Coordinates of all heavy atoms in Angstrom, one line a residue:
I180 N -81.5 -36.5 -4.2 CA -81.7 -37.1 -5.5 C -80.4 -37.0 -6.4 O -80.0 -38.0 -7.0 CB -82.8 -36.3 -6.3 CG1 -84.1 -36.5 -5.6 CG2 -82.9 -36.8 -7.7 CD1 -85.3 -35.7 -6.2
L181 N -79.7 -35.9 -6.3 CA -78.4 -35.9 -7.0 C -77.4 -36.9 -6.5 O -76.7 -37.7 -7.3 CB -77.7 -34.5 -7.0 CG -76.3 -34.3 -7.6 CD1 -76.4 -34.7 -9.1 CD2 -75.7 -33.0 -7.3
S182 N -77.3 -37.1 -5.2 CA -76.4 -38.1 -4.7 C -76.8 -39.5 -5.1 O -76.0 -40.3 -5.3 CB -76.2 -38.0 -3.2 OG -77.4 -38.4 -2.5
W183 N -78.1 -39.8 -5.1 CA -78.6 -41.1 -5.6 C -78.3 -41.2 -7.1 O -77.8 -42.3 -7.5 CB -80.1 -41.2 -5.3 CG -80.5 -41.3 -4.0 CD1 -79.7 -41.6 -2.9 CD2 -81.8 -41.3 -3.4 NE1 -80.4 -41.7 -1.7 CE2 -81.8 -41.5 -2.1 CE3 -83.0 -41.2 -4.0 CZ2 -82.8 -41.7 -1.2 CZ3 -84.2 -41.2 -3.2 CH2 -84.0 -41.5 -1.8
R184 N -78.6 -40.2 -7.9 CA -78.3 -40.3 -9.3 C -76.9 -40.6 -9.6 O -76.5 -41.2 -10.6 CB -78.7 -39.0 -10.0 CG -80.3 -38.8 -10.0 CD -80.6 -37.5 -10.7 NE -80.5 -37.6 -12.2 CZ -80.5 -36.6 -13.0 NH1 -80.6 -35.3 -12.5 NH2 -80.5 -36.7 -14.3
N185 N -76.0 -40.0 -8.8 CA -74.5 -40.2 -9.0 C -73.9 -41.4 -8.3 O -72.7 -41.7 -8.5 CB -73.8 -38.9 -8.5 CG -73.8 -37.8 -9.6 OD1 -73.9 -38.1 -10.8 ND2 -73.6 -36.6 -9.2
S186 N -74.7 -42.1 -7.6 CA -74.2 -43.4 -7.0 C -73.8 -44.5 -8.0 O -74.5 -44.4 -9.1 CB -75.2 -43.9 -6.0 OG -76.3 -44.5 -6.6
D187 N -72.9 -45.3 -7.8 CA -72.5 -46.3 -8.7 C -73.6 -47.2 -9.1 O -73.8 -47.6 -10.3 CB -71.3 -47.1 -8.2 CG -70.0 -46.3 -8.1 OD1 -69.9 -45.3 -8.8 OD2 -69.1 -46.7 -7.3
E188 N -74.4 -47.6 -8.1 CA -75.5 -48.5 -8.3 C -76.6 -47.9 -9.3 O -77.0 -48.6 -10.2 CB -76.2 -48.8 -7.0 CG -77.4 -49.8 -7.0 CD -77.0 -51.2 -7.5 OE1 -75.8 -51.6 -7.4 OE2 -77.9 -51.8 -8.1
V189 N -76.9 -46.7 -9.1 CA -77.9 -46.1 -10.0 C -77.3 -45.8 -11.3 O -77.9 -46.2 -12.3 CB -78.5 -44.8 -9.3 CG1 -79.5 -44.1 -10.3 CG2 -79.3 -45.2 -8.1
R190 N -76.2 -45.2 -11.4 CA -75.6 -44.8 -12.7 C -75.3 -46.0 -13.6 O -75.4 -46.0 -14.8 CB -74.2 -44.0 -12.4 CG -74.4 -42.6 -12.1 CD -73.1 -41.8 -12.1 NE -72.1 -42.4 -11.2 CZ -71.0 -43.0 -11.6 NH1 -70.7 -43.0 -12.9 NH2 -70.1 -43.5 -10.7
S191 N -75.0 -47.2 -12.9 CA -74.7 -48.4 -13.7 C -76.0 -48.9 -14.5 O -75.9 -49.7 -15.3 CB -74.2 -49.5 -12.9 OG -75.1 -50.0 -12.0
K192 N -77.1 -48.3 -14.1 CA -78.4 -48.9 -14.7 C -79.0 -47.8 -15.6 O -80.1 -47.9 -16.1 CB -79.4 -49.2 -13.6 CG -78.9 -50.2 -12.5 CD -78.8 -51.5 -13.1 CE -78.5 -52.6 -12.0 NZ -77.2 -52.5 -11.3
M193 N -78.3 -46.7 -15.8 CA -78.9 -45.6 -16.6 C -78.3 -45.6 -18.0 O -77.2 -46.1 -18.2 CB -78.6 -44.3 -16.0 CG -79.2 -44.1 -14.6 SD -81.0 -44.0 -14.7 CE -81.4 -43.5 -13.1
Y194 N -79.0 -45.0 -18.9 CA -78.5 -44.8 -20.3 C -77.1 -44.0 -20.3 O -76.2 -44.4 -21.0 CB -79.4 -44.0 -21.2 CG -80.7 -44.8 -21.6 CD1 -81.9 -44.4 -21.4 CD2 -80.6 -46.2 -22.2 CE1 -83.0 -45.1 -21.8 CE2 -81.6 -46.9 -22.5 CZ -82.8 -46.3 -22.3 OH -83.9 -47.1 -22.7
E195 N -77.1 -42.9 -19.5 CA -76.0 -42.1 -19.4 C -75.3 -42.3 -18.0 O -75.9 -42.0 -17.0 CB -76.4 -40.6 -19.5 CG -75.3 -39.6 -19.4 CD -74.2 -39.9 -20.5 OE1 -74.6 -39.9 -21.7 OE2 -73.0 -40.0 -20.2
S196 N -74.2 -43.0 -18.0 CA -73.7 -43.4 -16.8 C -72.5 -42.5 -16.2 O -71.8 -42.9 -15.2 CB -73.1 -44.8 -16.9 OG -72.1 -44.8 -17.8
T197 N -72.4 -41.3 -16.8 CA -71.4 -40.4 -16.3 C -71.9 -39.6 -15.1 O -73.1 -39.5 -14.9 CB -70.9 -39.4 -17.4 OG1 -72.1 -38.7 -17.8 CG2 -70.3 -40.0 -18.6
M198 N -71.0 -39.1 -14.3 CA -71.4 -38.3 -13.2 C -72.1 -37.0 -13.6 O -71.8 -36.5 -14.7 CB -70.1 -37.9 -12.3 CG -69.4 -39.0 -11.7 SD -70.3 -39.8 -10.3 CE -70.0 -38.6 -9.1
I199 N -73.1 -36.7 -12.8 CA -74.0 -35.5 -13.1 C -73.5 -34.3 -12.3 O -73.4 -34.4 -11.1 CB -75.4 -35.9 -12.9 CG1 -75.9 -37.0 -13.7 CG2 -76.3 -34.6 -13.1 CD1 -77.2 -37.6 -13.2
S200 N -73.2 -33.2 -12.9 CA -72.7 -32.0 -12.2 C -73.9 -31.4 -11.5 O -75.0 -31.6 -11.9 CB -72.1 -31.0 -13.2 OG -73.1 -30.4 -14.0
P201 N -73.6 -30.7 -10.4 CA -74.7 -29.9 -9.7 C -75.5 -29.0 -10.6 O -76.7 -28.9 -10.5 CB -74.0 -29.2 -8.6 CG -72.8 -30.0 -8.3 CD -72.3 -30.6 -9.6
E202 N -74.7 -28.4 -11.6 CA -75.4 -27.5 -12.6 C -76.3 -28.1 -13.4 O -77.5 -27.7 -13.7 CB -74.3 -26.7 -13.4 CG -73.4 -25.8 -12.6 CD -72.3 -26.6 -11.9 OE1 -71.9 -27.8 -12.2 OE2 -71.8 -26.0 -10.9
V203 N -76.0 -29.3 -14.0 CA -76.8 -30.1 -14.8 C -78.1 -30.6 -14.1 O -79.2 -30.6 -14.5 CB -76.1 -31.2 -15.5 CG1 -77.0 -32.3 -16.2 CG2 -75.0 -30.7 -16.5
H204 N -77.8 -31.0 -12.8 CA -78.9 -31.6 -12.0 C -79.8 -30.4 -11.7 O -81.0 -30.6 -11.7 CB -78.3 -32.2 -10.7 CG -79.3 -32.7 -9.8 ND1 -80.2 -33.8 -10.0 CD2 -79.7 -32.2 -8.6 CE1 -81.0 -33.9 -9.0 NE2 -80.7 -33.0 -8.1
N205 N -79.3 -29.3 -11.3 CA -80.2 -28.1 -10.9 C -81.1 -27.7 -12.2 O -82.3 -27.5 -12.0 CB -79.4 -26.9 -10.5 CG -78.8 -27.3 -9.2 OD1 -79.2 -28.1 -8.4 ND2 -77.8 -26.4 -8.8
K206 N -80.6 -27.8 -13.4 CA -81.3 -27.4 -14.5 C -82.4 -28.5 -14.7 O -83.6 -28.2 -15.0 CB -80.4 -27.4 -15.8 CG -81.1 -27.0 -17.0 CD -80.2 -26.8 -18.2 CE -80.9 -26.4 -19.4 NZ -80.0 -26.4 -20.5
W207 N -82.1 -29.8 -14.6 CA -83.1 -30.9 -14.7 C -84.1 -30.8 -13.6 O -85.3 -30.8 -14.0 CB -82.3 -32.2 -14.6 CG -83.2 -33.3 -14.5 CD1 -83.9 -34.1 -15.5 CD2 -83.7 -34.1 -13.3 NE1 -84.7 -35.0 -15.0 CE2 -84.6 -35.1 -13.6 CE3 -83.4 -33.8 -11.9 CZ2 -85.2 -35.9 -12.7 CZ3 -84.1 -34.7 -11.0 CH2 -84.9 -35.7 -11.4
F208 N -83.7 -30.5 -12.4 CA -84.7 -30.5 -11.3 C -85.6 -29.2 -11.5 O -86.9 -29.4 -11.3 CB -84.0 -30.3 -10.0 CG -84.8 -30.5 -8.8 CD1 -85.2 -31.9 -8.4 CD2 -85.3 -29.5 -8.1 CE1 -86.0 -32.0 -7.3 CE2 -86.2 -29.7 -7.0 CZ -86.5 -31.0 -6.6
S209 N -85.1 -28.2 -11.9 CA -86.0 -26.9 -12.2 C -86.9 -27.2 -13.3 O -88.1 -26.7 -13.3 CB -85.1 -25.7 -12.6 OG -84.3 -25.3 -11.4
G210 N -86.5 -28.0 -14.3 CA -87.3 -28.3 -15.5 C -88.5 -29.3 -15.2 O -89.5 -29.3 -16.0
I211 N -88.4 -30.0 -14.1 CA -89.5 -30.9 -13.8 C -90.6 -30.3 -12.9 O -91.6 -30.8 -12.7 CB -89.1 -32.2 -13.2 CG1 -88.2 -32.0 -11.9 CG2 -88.2 -33.1 -14.2 CD1 -87.9 -33.3 -11.2
K212 N -90.3 -29.2 -12.2 CA -91.1 -28.6 -11.2 C -92.2 -27.8 -11.8 O -92.0 -27.1 -12.8 CB -90.3 -27.8 -10.2 CG -89.2 -28.5 -9.4 CD -89.6 -29.8 -8.8 CE -90.7 -29.7 -7.7 NZ -91.2 -31.0 -7.3
N213 N -93.4 -27.9 -11.3 CA -94.5 -27.1 -11.6 C -94.8 -27.2 -13.2 O -95.3 -26.3 -13.8 CB -94.3 -25.6 -11.4 CG -94.0 -25.4 -9.9 OD1 -94.7 -26.1 -9.0 ND2 -93.0 -24.7 -9.6
Q214 N -94.7 -28.5 -13.7 CA -95.1 -28.7 -15.1 C -96.0 -29.9 -15.1 O -95.9 -30.9 -14.4 CB -93.9 -29.1 -15.9 CG -92.9 -27.9 -16.1 CD -91.9 -28.2 -17.2 OE1 -92.2 -28.9 -18.1 NE2 -90.8 -27.6 -17.1
D215 N -97.1 -29.8 -15.8 CA -98.1 -30.9 -15.9 C -97.7 -32.1 -16.7 O -98.2 -33.1 -16.6 CB -99.4 -30.3 -16.5 CG -100.1 -29.3 -15.6 OD1 -100.0 -29.4 -14.4 OD2 -100.9 -28.6 -16.1
D216 N -96.6 -31.9 -17.4 CA -96.2 -33.0 -18.3 C -95.0 -33.8 -17.8 O -94.4 -34.6 -18.4 CB -96.0 -32.5 -19.7 CG -94.8 -31.5 -19.8 OD1 -94.4 -31.0 -18.8 OD2 -94.3 -31.2 -21.0
K217 N -94.6 -33.4 -16.6 CA -93.4 -34.1 -15.9 C -93.8 -34.3 -14.4 O -94.4 -33.5 -13.8 CB -92.1 -33.3 -16.1 CG -91.6 -33.2 -17.5 CD -90.4 -32.4 -17.6 CE -89.7 -32.2 -18.9 NZ -90.5 -32.4 -20.1
V218 N -93.2 -35.5 -13.9 CA -93.3 -35.7 -12.5 C -92.0 -36.2 -11.9 O -91.2 -36.9 -12.6 CB -94.5 -36.7 -12.1 CG1 -95.8 -36.1 -12.5 CG2 -94.3 -38.0 -12.8
C219 N -91.7 -35.9 -10.7 CA -90.6 -36.5 -9.9 C -91.2 -36.7 -8.5 O -91.5 -35.8 -7.8 CB -89.4 -35.5 -9.9 SG -88.0 -36.2 -9.0
L220 N -91.3 -38.0 -8.1 CA -91.9 -38.4 -6.9 C -90.9 -39.0 -6.1 O -90.0 -39.8 -6.6 CB -93.1 -39.3 -7.2 CG -94.1 -38.9 -8.1 CD1 -95.1 -40.0 -8.4 CD2 -94.9 -37.7 -7.6
I221 N -91.0 -38.8 -4.7 CA -90.1 -39.6 -3.8 C -90.9 -40.7 -3.2 O -92.1 -40.5 -2.7 CB -89.7 -38.6 -2.7 CG1 -89.0 -37.3 -3.2 CG2 -88.8 -39.3 -1.6 CD1 -87.7 -37.6 -4.0
F222 N -90.3 -41.8 -3.3 CA -90.9 -43.1 -2.7 C -90.4 -43.2 -1.3 O -89.1 -43.2 -1.0 CB -90.4 -44.3 -3.5 CG -90.7 -45.6 -2.9 CD1 -92.1 -46.1 -2.8 CD2 -89.7 -46.4 -2.5 CE1 -92.3 -47.4 -2.2 CE2 -90.0 -47.7 -1.9 CZ -91.3 -48.2 -1.8
E223 N -91.3 -43.4 -0.3 CA -91.0 -43.4 1.1 C -91.5 -44.7 1.7 O -92.6 -45.2 1.3 CB -91.5 -42.2 1.8 CG -90.9 -40.9 1.5 CD -91.4 -39.8 2.2 OE1 -92.6 -39.8 2.8 OE2 -90.7 -38.8 2.4
Y224 N -90.8 -45.3 2.6 CA -91.2 -46.3 3.5 C -91.1 -45.9 4.9 O -90.0 -45.5 5.4 CB -90.4 -47.6 3.3 CG -90.8 -48.7 4.3 CD1 -92.0 -49.2 4.3 CD2 -89.8 -49.2 5.0 CE1 -92.3 -50.3 5.2 CE2 -90.0 -50.3 5.9 CZ -91.3 -50.8 6.0 OH -91.5 -51.8 6.8
Q225 N -92.2 -45.9 5.6 CA -92.2 -45.4 7.0 C -91.6 -43.9 7.2 O -90.8 -43.7 8.0 CB -91.6 -46.3 8.0 CG -92.4 -47.7 8.1 CD -91.8 -48.7 9.0 OE1 -90.6 -48.6 9.3 NE2 -92.6 -49.6 9.4
N226 N -92.0 -43.1 6.2 CA -91.6 -41.6 6.2 C -90.1 -41.5 5.9 O -89.6 -40.4 6.2 CB -92.0 -40.9 7.4 CG -93.5 -40.9 7.6 OD1 -94.3 -40.6 6.7 ND2 -93.9 -41.2 8.8
T227 N -89.4 -42.5 5.4 CA -88.0 -42.4 5.1 C -87.9 -42.5 3.6 O -88.4 -43.5 3.0 CB -87.2 -43.5 5.8 OG1 -87.3 -43.3 7.2 CG2 -85.7 -43.4 5.4

């Protein structure tokens, strides 16, 4: 997810287009886990 968030294609479509540090990403990722008011889902096609 971090590599996708930091890709040029994804960043160019976001409000904040600067590179995301691993520390900031880890804090964001920890903040969405096990909370009823946030979700982060992975979209897969043929298990990829």
Side-chain angles (χ1 to χ4, degrees):
I180 294 170
L181 176 60
S182 70
W183 287 352
R184 291 178 77 194
N185 276 335
S186 71
D187 291 338
E188 178 66 22
V189 172
R190 281 188 303 112
S191 69
K192 307 291 189 293
M193 298 291 188
Y194 288 128
E195 182 58 52
S196 61
T197 58
M198 294 291 281
I199 300 165
S200 71
E202 295 79 22
V203 168
H204 178 69
N205 290 341
K206 183 177 179 181
W207 170 82
F208 194 80
S209 295
I211 61 171
K212 299 313 294 172
N213 301 318
Q214 292 192 29
D215 289 336
D216 62 347
K217 293 182 180 16
V218 295
C219 181
L220 307 169
I221 302 299
F222 170 69
E223 294 182 332
Y224 173 59
Q225 296 180 337
N226 298 313
T227 299

